[in-house]
Amino acid sequence: QVQLVESGGGLVQAGGSLRLSCAASGLTFSRYAMSWYRQAPGKERELVARIGSAGGNTNYADSVQGRFTIARDNAKTTVYLQMNSLKPEDTAVYYCNAKWTPLRDLVYDYWGQGTQVTVSS
């Protein structure tokens, strides 16, 4: 059974930092691209950051570029999101995602339960 368990969310003042963690189990972690998404109230879920299976390729939403850093530790089967210079508009539930596409029509796609991040002004 695949589990993605996020932690590290909370309440922080604008300009502060948080580090989210997502511990994965029940899958071959090193095969999966890992991503962080977020969803604010009344808005669609959006991609925040993605990291390739080997950790070499990273992508960020324009809104977080230069403030957030995604990293992974395959030995610990954990992905991290370091969030600096937080803004009130970063307030959302943050979700961890694991995705592996071994074949064109075969996709393994898993989600965590989410962790709340609230940034006060």
Side-chain angles (χ1 to χ4, degrees), residues 1-83:
Q1 181 180 357
V2 175
Q3 284 192 309
L4 301 177
V5 180
E6 300 101 334
S7 61
L11 174 64
V12 65
Q13 289 188 331
S17 298
L18 283 175
R19 188 197 196 202
L20 305 183
S21 299
C22 171
S25 61
L27 52 71
T28 305
F29 185 76
S30 60
R31 289 176 175 172
Y32 286 75
M34 300 298 297
S35 301
W36 288 96
Y37 286 76
R38 67 186 181 187
Q39 187 166 20
K43 295 188 177 181
E44 293 187 354
R45 190 173 297 190
E46 64 172 353
L47 176 66
V48 175
R50 173 179 285 127
I51 187 166
S53 58
N57 293 327
T58 57
N59 301 97
Y60 298 91
D62 289 344
S63 59
V64 307
Q65 183 77 45
R67 300 188 297 122
F68 291 10
T69 302
I70 189 170
R72 66 188 295 159
D73 185 333
N74 284 356
K76 295 183 178 179
T77 65
T78 300
V79 63
Y80 306 96
L81 185 68
Q82 178 66 44
M83 305 186 295

